[in-house]
Amino acid sequence: VGPDDTFSLTIVGFHSSASFTCERIPLEREQVEAAFTAITAQENTLVERLLSWANGRDDVHLVGQRENTPASTRIPTIAFTVDGWTPEALCREMDPKGIAIRHGDFHSRRLIEDLGLAEGGGVVRVSMVHYNTLEEVDRLTRELDAVLDGGRGYEILWDDGDEGEVRAAHVRAAPTPARTARPPGMAPP
């Protein structure tokens, strides 16, 4: 915004490491408002798709608003936890797939502690912006489904073979579900 309450867009073109051009294009307020309306609409579409996926899974627990209503002020940053997974383990599974989701407290340590999520490693966070596409969100949710439904993230500590006697911990992401018998003489916890 200029001193006379005008808007402008500055375009910088680099021609080589030593030369560039700079051009200011004046914009009308309506153009800026239209751009922000379009950005909001795109981000809402992305959020709604991801929230729909998360709300459809019993093992995913959203932190924050579960819906994106027209009056919502939700931004396209979604935090969640998943039963049986540490946030770090889930993010490590997604990294090799070229999907950048992150884990931790994101400089909100007190909030994460108050929510009782600190000991589990915080939350998983997906951050989207207007230049992300629905196809990218769909790829994210497909890959998350594949990982979560594939049984990874658990390390089976022992299995008595009796119904309900499997003890599991999500201490690390196991490459495959590892099932071992309890060592002789080891009592259940």
Side-chain angles (χ1 to χ4, degrees):
V1 178
D4 56 353
D5 202 30
T6 60
F7 295 90
S8 63
L9 172 66
T10 302
I11 299 175
V12 177
F14 291 93
H15 304 290
S16 70
S17 62
S19 71
F20 66 93
T21 59
C22 183
E23 181 181 354
R24 279 181 94 81
I25 301 171
L27 298 174
E28 299 295 323
R29 175 175 282 286
E30 294 78 25
Q31 291 173 299
V32 174
E33 289 173 353
F36 278 103
T37 298
I39 288 170
T40 300
Q42 172 65 4
E43 290 178 347
N44 283 340
T45 300
L46 300 172
V47 166
E48 289 163 8
R49 182 72 60 99
L50 186 56
L51 289 177
S52 175
W53 170 84
N55 285 320
R57 291 195 61 105
D58 293 334
D59 56 349
V60 173
H61 307 284
L62 291 164
V63 177
Q65 298 171 336
R66 297 185 61 82
E67 296 179 9
N68 193 38
T69 63
S72 175
T73 57
R74 191 178 227 318
I75 60 171
T77 302
I78 310 297
F80 60 92
T81 61
V82 179
D83 292 340
W85 284 83
T86 63
E88 180 179 1
L90 184 55
C91 290
R92 286 184 185 274
E93 286 290 320
M94 299 303 288
D95 274 345
K97 300 171 186 313
I99 295 176
I101 58 176
R102 297 297 175 241
H103 63 91
D105 64 23
F106 304 97
H107 307 288
S108 297
R109 181 179 48 87
R110 289 185 183 157
L111 172 62
I112 295 299
E113 288 172 352
D114 288 348
L115 293 172
L117 300 172
E119 286 186 23
V123 297
V124 174
R125 185 180 75 179
V126 176
S127 301
M128 302 172 288
V129 293
H130 59 279
Y131 52 78
N132 288 116
T133 66
L134 281 175
E135 291 78 17
E136 290 170 324
V137 176
D138 290 342
R139 179 172 170 253
L140 166 68
T141 58
R142 272 193 315 274
E143 294 290 353
L144 282 168
D145 280 337
V147 169
L148 298 179
D149 295 339
R152 298 174 74 155
Y154 287 99
E155 177 183 14
I156 303 299
L157 301 178
W158 63 81
D159 181 0
D160 284 339
D162 297 329
E163 190 69 31
E165 288 295 316
V166 174
R167 306 289 182 183
H170 54 273
V171 294
R172 66 177 174 84
T176 58
R179 189 176 279 283
T180 59
R182 183 173 58 224
M186 183 176 188

